[in-house]
Amino acid sequence: MKTVNQKVASLDGKGIMMGRPAFSDDLADPSSLIVKILRSPHAFARIKDIDVSQAEALSGVELVLTHKNVPHVSFTRAGQGYPEPSPHDKFILDEYVRYIGDEVAAVAAISEEIATKALSLIKVTYEVLEPVLDFETALGHSSIIHPEDGIHEMFPIGFEPKKNIAASYAMHVGDVEDELSKCDVTIEQSFYTQAQAHTMMEPHTANARLDYHNRLVIYTSTQTPYHVRRIMSQTLGLPISRIRVIKPRVGGGFGGKQALHGEMFVALVTLRTKKPSKIVFTRQEVFAATYTRHPMKLSMRLGADKDGTLRAIDCHVLSDTGAYGEHALTVYMVAGSKVLPLYNKVNAVRFHGQVVYTNHVSAGAFRGYGAIQGNYALESAIDMLANKLGIEPTAFRQKNMIKENETSPIFAIMGEGTEGTAMNMDTCKLEYCLARGKQLIGWDQKYPRYQVGQHKVRAVGMAIAMQGSGIPLIDMGAATIKLNDDGFYNLTIGATDIGQGSDTVLAQIAAEELGVSVDKVVVYSSDTDLTPFDVGAYASSTTFVSGNAVLKAAQNMKAMLIEEAAKVLEAPKEKVKFDGDKFRYGQETITLSQLANRLYYNHDQKQLTATNSYVGHKSPPPFMAGFVEIEIDTETCVYEIIEYVSVVDCGTTINPMLAKGQVEGGIVQGLGMAAFEEVKYSPKGRLLTDSLLYYKIPTALDVKKLTTEFAESYEQSGPFGAKSVGEIGIDTPPAALSNAIYNALGVRINSLPVTSEKIFKALQKK
């Protein structure tokens, strides 16, 4: 292959490095009104009265928005499919505020200074209500977080707001209780995962203007421009044809921008004032008023025979969605569907639980999307069971894990496949990943621990994981390829590059099929007026779903080119050979450049454009084995991460350099959740870790060495054999680290993050 599986530099890298205007705020109209939000000081309250007269009278203030003068239409901010699997439980502004930081009012002024002053002039009288701040007490709590009328589910998701339940689901295969009763060895343990902040470098931002056709144009740092347009149309009552959403470069998303956060406010300001407007969240607002990862309690019960045959898995999940139910059901479901099939030979498996409301900032989409929480619990429990059996944990996994050409009944029950048919693992190199990872980390020489000093030991731990490649039968991507004079192409795609390099990867796919270098493919993406439809960047879908659409469009274009060349060469089209530059029939040739100029300037004169789309009928999982080596002081319990080894099966790596960046970025983010990132609240529900001073994320200094390799693999259903790679890296670190701590000191930490303090206390208790 000429361009696929090659280390092509990111198309946007040089321009961004040179500081050229590329991001949403760079492209805001210089005369934009500044929009600022007044936020709730209470975790739960009802607004009894709001007086904005002084703010409106302040010179330079153009508009003040409250719940009294905005549309009262319930919606979900979550950009995920339609009809949405999230409840419509949010209003643009509401008489209830449900967390410290919830929106009370919005001000638009000619400067940030005036807008900020206007916020201080708004007088609000609150009826303070008792908040729900512990998600384990949400069910049956006397406070009902959503008592209002007008909220609803789009289809049955187990939505019971009067019980503080945003969603619920249960499934089982076989009789779990009967199987567990027959097992020689069982373990039971609950695991807790915390909220995690996305901490992307670019804060949330959006700006609006009216174009000369009086249409609303939104520039926004989003992962889902088409969902943004649809949700705004439905909520504001504006025809979708009157809205254009443009996604420029995005400085990181990780799921945190798979939603609407500021778009509604700039849209309303611009529609009412007829002036451009913009909003840029402060870093504190990003922490306290956008999204976090869903905290969860995962209660695991596993049972096995003494020969190491895993017989039953029981997983109960309680998930905290915060104030609103965005992604509530789907994150919870993925905690099962992208985790439990790893062990497909059990006789019985059960997955059940609820997603509850609390008076914390909303949880939402976050890379790993439930799978990281589920993986931490299951892979920790697997190690516990193996230890109780006296079986080395990699041997236990090798015996029980899913392998190539196998399947799992969970795939069929939880919608992973075609029309209820279980998905088959046509590619699964997990056995290789496990074996190669052991070699790279030196597992056999280091497991479980070895002494390196009087009070220092080193230990290893590991976990396996799987993810998915898009959402089958639901999410669609499309692509259009246009031939230009002189023989170069435009590729227009709705797919959303949020820094992961999808523009580059999709250009490589087009270039490979068309037989040209990547510089001959000029990419334009994510503009709802000018690019074809795409659901956006989420669910590890872009390479697999959008990439297949690009491949199909390129195949269409290639066929049209050959047909036109055949006319010129007076040859049967099936006899014409095309190498990307020349068409050949016998001794007769014509170059692509000559053909393009002939088509556009004389002779046949026609525009060649090819459009195609793709919806997956399955979601082939990538797999990985992750191994960590740590060094820990046995007196202080302070530890260091010495090396993290990742061996990944993601099919063909379209761009090995970008794929490695995705895996290692995910690993470090997963290690952040595992060891560093701790969300702390005051007793009254105020977020304390709302700045980079107090919220620690890992840096290059915190992880000494990353080793990443890819298994040789080819997924027939993927473009040039590719599966996804965007999320798989984040899943294994929490369990691998927890297992390494146990191997080092013999104590099991069952809540994240794994801190030295928790380890010390566990040792004291032991």
Side-chain angles (χ1 to χ4, degrees):
M1 290 186 271
K2 294 180 180 179
T3 57
V4 161
N5 204 220
Q6 304 299 317
K7 295 180 180 180
V8 175
S10 294
L11 300 180
D12 59 354
K14 186 174 181 180
I16 289 173
M17 287 169 59
M18 294 175 70
R20 291 174 178 158
F23 297 90
S24 292
D25 195 45
D26 296 333
L27 304 176
D29 191 300
S31 63
S32 293
L33 297 174
I34 305 301
V35 179
K36 300 291 286 184
I37 307 295
L38 179 67
R39 299 189 179 277
S40 170
H42 304 292
F44 192 25
R46 187 178 69 85
I47 298 171
K48 295 174 67 176
D49 184 61
I50 183 165
D51 181 359
V52 300
S53 57
Q54 291 184 52
E56 289 177 328
L58 183 64
S59 178
V61 172
E62 295 274 340
L63 182 66
V64 180
L65 299 171
T66 72
H67 69 276
K68 296 179 181 180
N69 64 351
V70 298
H72 191 69
V73 178
S74 65
F75 70 103
T76 175
R77 296 177 297 182
Q80 52 162 171
Y82 183 73
E84 299 100 337
S86 296
H88 284 217
D89 58 6
K90 173 76 176 166
F91 297 91
I92 299 170
L93 292 167
D94 193 9
E95 65 173 322
Y96 286 93
V97 285
R98 297 179 175 85
Y99 64 93
I100 294 176
D102 207 353
E103 300 100 337
V104 174
V107 168
I110 60 174
S111 71
E112 184 172 359
E113 182 182 14
I114 293 172
T116 302
K117 184 176 181 181
L119 293 182
S120 68
L121 298 175
I122 299 173
K123 307 302 179 187
V124 187
T125 304
Y126 296 98
E127 176 191 353
V128 179
L129 305 170
E130 182 186 357
V132 181
L133 299 175
D134 178 356
F135 74 108
E136 290 190 79
T137 68
L139 287 167
H141 199 284
S142 58
S143 288
I144 304 302
I145 295 173
H146 284 276
E148 72 276 21
D149 295 325
I151 61 174
H152 59 91
E153 57 191 347
M154 296 293 281
F155 54 86
I157 62 170
F159 180 55
E160 296 182 83
K162 297 301 185 286
K163 297 181 180 179
N164 287 332
I165 297 176
S168 61
Y169 175 80
M171 61 75 66
H172 70 93
V173 177
D175 189 329
V176 166
E177 299 298 338
D178 182 60
E179 284 295 330
L180 286 171
S181 70
K182 296 174 182 176
C183 289
D184 296 323
V185 175
T186 62
I187 64 102
E188 183 173 348
Q189 181 68 61
S190 292
F191 299 89
Y192 291 83
T193 65
Q194 80 280 41
Q196 183 185 18
H198 297 79
T199 330
M200 69 289 287
M201 290 298 98
E202 180 202 24
H204 298 70
T205 180
N207 58 80
R209 68 196 71 178
L210 295 175
D211 68 12
Y212 59 90
H213 293 300
N214 206 37
R215 296 172 75 233
L216 179 66
V217 181
I218 304 285
Y219 286 80
T220 175
S221 181
T222 182
Q223 297 175 223
T224 55
Y226 281 91
H227 286 317
V228 168
R229 182 179 67 168
R230 173 183 53 78
I231 294 168
M232 289 181 66
S233 169
Q234 293 167 344
T235 307
L236 298 177
L238 191 65
I240 200 167
S241 61
R242 306 300 300 169
I243 304 171
R244 178 184 181 187
V245 177
I246 300 170
K247 187 268 337 162
R249 309 323 294 166
V250 174
F254 311 121
K257 293 174 181 173
Q258 194 187 332
L260 288 79
H261 289 293
E263 291 89 346
M264 289 291 186
F265 297 107
V266 293
L268 281 169
V269 167
T270 292
L271 288 169
R272 294 188 183 181
T273 66
K274 309 303 181 187
K275 296 179 180 180
S277 64
K278 74 172 189 175
I279 188 169
V280 180
F281 281 45
T282 65
R283 181 58 61 181
Q284 185 182 38
E285 285 180 305
V286 174
F287 275 112
T290 58
Y291 267 174
T292 70
R293 188 184 296 286
H294 287 76
M296 290 185 185
K297 176 187 178 182
L298 303 104
S299 301
M300 306 295 301
R301 293 194 299 160
L302 273 62
D305 292 335
K306 44 190 178 181
D307 68 353
T309 301
L310 184 64
R311 291 184 59 168
I313 302 173
D314 186 27
C315 176
H316 180 271
V317 176
L318 185 68
S319 177
D320 178 1
T321 191
Y324 302 100
E326 289 125 345
H327 301 272
L329 177 71
T330 43
V331 166
Y332 159 75
M333 293 280 283
V334 170
S337 66
K338 297 293 191 290
V339 178
L340 298 177
L342 279 168
Y343 298 98
N344 64 324
K345 299 170 182 67
V346 292
N347 296 331
V349 59
R350 179 166 59 190
F351 178 77
H352 52 128
Q354 303 85 28
V355 188
V356 294
Y357 289 110
T358 61
N359 292 112
H360 287 146
V361 64
S362 288
F366 197 146
R367 187 186 208 169
Y369 201 89
I372 186 172
Q373 293 100 313
N375 189 276
Y376 165 59
L378 180 60
E379 283 298 277
S380 296
I382 288 289
D383 253 43
M384 290 176 66
L385 186 60
N387 289 329
K388 196 169 182 179
L389 286 162
I391 300 175
E392 192 271 323
T394 64
F396 184 83
R397 286 176 172 84
Q398 169 65 29
K399 179 181 178 73
N400 291 285
M401 69 190 187
I402 196 167
K403 298 179 175 68
E404 197 156 88
N405 295 319
E406 294 181 353
T407 188
S408 166
I410 299 170
F411 285 138
I413 293 173
M414 301 189 81
E416 299 288 337
T418 304
E419 297 175 357
T421 301
M423 179 168 51
N424 192 62
M425 295 300 95
D426 297 323
T427 53
C428 174
K429 306 302 179 186
L430 193 50
E431 287 185 282
Y432 170 83
C433 295
L434 185 66
R436 180 59 177 157
K438 287 179 65 176
Q439 287 180 337
L440 291 171
I441 201 78
W443 181 270
D444 291 339
Q445 295 76 44
K446 298 174 181 177
Y447 174 80
R449 75 187 72 81
Y450 61 103
Q451 201 80 23
V452 292
Q454 185 177 358
H455 303 295
K456 294 280 183 76
V457 297
R458 288 193 176 186
V460 288
M462 61 83 58
I464 59 174
M466 60 180 284
Q467 261 290 340
S469 300
I471 304 174
L473 304 174
I474 293 177
D475 284 348
M476 185 267 279
T480 296
I481 298 175
K482 175 170 74 84
L483 174 70
N484 295 294
D485 49 338
D486 200 40
F488 73 98
Y489 304 93
N490 288 118
L491 171 62
T492 57
I493 42 178
T496 311
D497 196 321
I498 56 172
Q500 83 279 36
S502 63
D503 282 2
T504 305
V505 165
L506 297 179
Q508 286 179 260
I509 291 170
E512 182 69 40
E513 181 62 23
L514 293 167
V516 297
S517 54
V518 173
D519 63 316
K520 295 292 186 183
V521 180
V522 179
V523 180
Y524 184 71
S525 62
S526 304
D527 180 330
T528 58
D529 266 10
L530 303 181
T531 61
F533 184 86
D534 194 288
V535 292
Y538 62 89
S540 295
S541 64
T542 304
T543 296
F544 184 77
V545 175
S546 307
N548 264 318
V550 169
L551 178 59
K552 290 171 68 178
Q555 290 167 342
N556 294 155
M557 173 57 72
K558 189 173 180 180
M560 286 191 285
L561 288 169
I562 290 172
E563 185 172 350
E564 294 301 324
K567 294 176 185 176
V568 176
L569 297 173
E570 297 181 344
K573 61 184 180 182
E574 58 273 11
K575 298 290 187 180
V576 174
K577 304 298 182 186
F578 177 47
D579 62 7
D581 177 47
K582 288 183 180 178
F583 302 88
R584 186 180 302 277
Y585 175 64
Q587 298 302 310
E588 299 295 318
T589 64
I590 183 173
T591 67
L592 177 62
S593 175
Q594 289 170 337
L595 177 65
N597 289 328
R598 178 186 175 96
L599 284 170
Y600 296 157
Y601 293 115
N602 48 55
H603 300 286
D604 297 326
Q605 289 189 293
K606 65 171 71 171
Q607 172 67 59
L608 295 192
T609 304
T611 298
N612 219 316
S613 57
Y614 181 82
V615 178
H617 284 227
K618 65 175 185 174
S619 179
F623 294 90
M624 77 165 286
F627 295 78
V628 67
E629 181 176 359
I630 63 167
E631 181 174 297
I632 189 164
D633 187 306
T634 57
E635 290 190 321
T636 66
C637 299
V638 173
Y639 65 90
E640 291 183 280
I641 297 162
I642 303 302
E643 183 178 12
Y644 205 97
V645 167
S646 308
V647 186
V648 180
D649 164 21
C650 61
T652 301
T653 52
I654 302 295
N655 188 315
M657 179 173 62
L658 294 179
K660 184 179 180 184
Q662 285 289 287
V663 171
E664 294 186 348
I667 291 296
V668 174
Q669 212 163 24
L671 287 171
M673 181 175 173
F676 298 92
E677 300 180 44
E678 190 161 15
V679 174
K680 294 181 179 179
Y681 286 94
S682 75
K684 291 189 176 181
R686 180 177 299 279
L687 183 66
L688 301 175
T689 48
D690 61 355
S691 76
L692 290 170
L693 181 64
Y694 297 110
Y695 188 82
K696 180 174 171 54
I697 61 173
T699 70
L701 299 176
D702 296 309
V703 183
K704 301 290 185 287
K705 184 181 180 184
L706 294 171
T707 300
T708 304
E709 287 189 1
F710 296 98
E712 262 192 54
S713 177
Y714 189 94
E715 170 59 45
Q716 195 65 41
S717 65
F720 296 109
K723 297 189 283 189
S724 77
V725 76
E727 292 181 275
I728 186 67
I730 202 172
D731 290 339
T732 59
L737 177 64
S738 179
N739 291 337
I741 296 294
Y742 180 86
N743 292 337
L745 300 178
V747 292
R748 172 71 53 185
I749 307 304
N750 68 339
S751 66
L752 298 179
V754 178
T755 63
S756 298
E757 182 182 12
K758 289 179 183 177
I759 300 168
F760 184 81
K761 287 181 177 179
L763 277 175
Q764 295 299 105
K765 187 176 180 181
K766 181 184 176 185

